[in-house]
Amino acid sequence: MREPINRDARLALDLALTIRHDGDGGITDDLADPTGLAEWVRAHPELLPGTACDRADDHREGFVAGTAPQPNESESAGVGFTADAAQLAAVRELRAAVRALFARAVRPGEPSPADAARLMPEEEAVRHVNEAAARTPTVPVLDWPAGATPLVHPKPVRAADDLTAALAHAVIAFLASPDRDRLRACHAPRCVRYFLKEHPRQEWCKPSCGNRARVARHHQRHKPTARTDPYRPSR
């Protein structure tokens, strides 16, 4: 049975996965410039003002387990969203913090090889995520429809959301949830992705990675080994 992935986990993962394998043995960055950030944000309309939707996985009791702040639905849909250099720098810095905390979460497993040698220090990463989240403070809002269970939703204090804050709220909700224990780094050849295990036997982020890993193991097992010539004197 596959475990569902809620919105907070998906946002946190998708942010981390903007660093990925380029298909040619290297690493590519989807957030290399403001245009790349704008395209990524437009692909995640839940981050844009006016595009929040009432999803089943958002109705979780309690403010601590809440989701990223909900944008003001009275604002425009944000279809023409553009990013500037300051937003790009803020989101990239948050991503660096997220990947450092993902590396901590997957222990004792190894982190993604994409940045394992240059991770942000953990204390700095935690502080950075918290500071980013504080850019848009939230308050608990009670929702108690007739004949239903009362629910609590986080609501931004300001009318307009900050993009980095919305991402940071999702990251915090994910890392503080049981879903964190499902986080893994995929170590198939040429893969640098993090993923959430959707079933107990899952080892790789996707079937193609599993195929590559099995082929690599097969080649390693059948790799010819140098034989020692008994008639050749050793040095």
Side-chain angles (χ1 to χ4, degrees):
M1 179 178 179
R2 292 182 178 273
E3 294 284 344
I5 299 178
N6 66 42
R7 186 176 65 179
D8 293 329
R10 177 53 58 201
L11 278 173
L13 277 170
D14 284 356
L15 176 60
L17 298 184
T18 53
I19 290 179
R20 56 186 175 82
H21 190 267
D22 63 4
D24 295 316
I27 303 298
T28 191
D29 185 353
D30 291 337
L31 306 183
D33 52 37
T35 300
L37 174 60
E39 291 176 354
W40 185 82
V41 171
R42 287 196 293 266
H44 295 77
E46 64 269 39
L47 289 170
L48 296 174
T51 60
C53 56
D54 195 16
R55 302 183 182 183
D57 61 8
D58 294 336
H59 290 272
R60 285 168 287 172
E61 295 183 14
F63 177 63
V64 175
T67 62
Q70 298 298 303
N72 186 333
E73 295 187 272
S74 65
E75 298 180 11
S76 64
V79 174
F81 173 82
T82 58
D84 57 29
Q87 286 175 312
L88 177 66
V91 173
R92 284 171 60 95
E93 191 72 8
L94 177 64
R95 181 184 63 184
V98 169
R99 291 183 66 89
L101 296 178
F102 275 19
R104 176 178 179 176
V106 300
R107 291 176 185 166
E110 293 294 322
S112 166
D115 49 12
R118 51 186 175 85
L119 290 168
M120 181 184 292
E122 291 176 7
E123 290 185 2
E124 180 182 345
V126 170
R127 182 174 65 254
H128 193 85
V129 170
N130 286 334
E131 289 175 353
R135 294 181 185 182
T136 301
T138 61
V139 295
V141 176
L142 180 65
D143 180 17
W144 197 352
T149 302
L151 300 171
V152 177
H153 302 284
K155 179 180 180 181
V157 173
R158 299 200 302 271
D161 275 348
D162 179 277
L163 170 63
T164 311
L167 285 168
H169 277 267
V171 169
I172 290 171
F174 165 61
L175 291 175
S177 75
D179 284 337
R180 183 193 66 252
D181 294 334
R182 296 164 51 201
L183 186 67
R184 299 290 187 274
C186 184
H187 291 286
R190 303 192 305 278
C191 189
V192 298
R193 293 167 58 90
Y194 284 99
F195 69 97
L196 288 189
K197 291 188 68 168
E198 296 181 357
H199 52 82
R201 299 183 63 183
Q202 183 178 358
E203 295 184 60
W204 321 107
C205 68
K206 50 188 177 181
S208 58
C209 279
N211 293 337
R212 287 201 308 274
R214 284 186 285 272
V215 169
R217 287 174 177 174
H218 175 81
H219 287 169
Q220 187 63 33
R221 284 196 301 267
H222 294 83
K223 183 178 180 180
T225 56
R227 295 183 179 181
T228 302
D229 185 347
Y231 299 102
R232 182 178 181 180
S234 59
R235 294 181 180 180

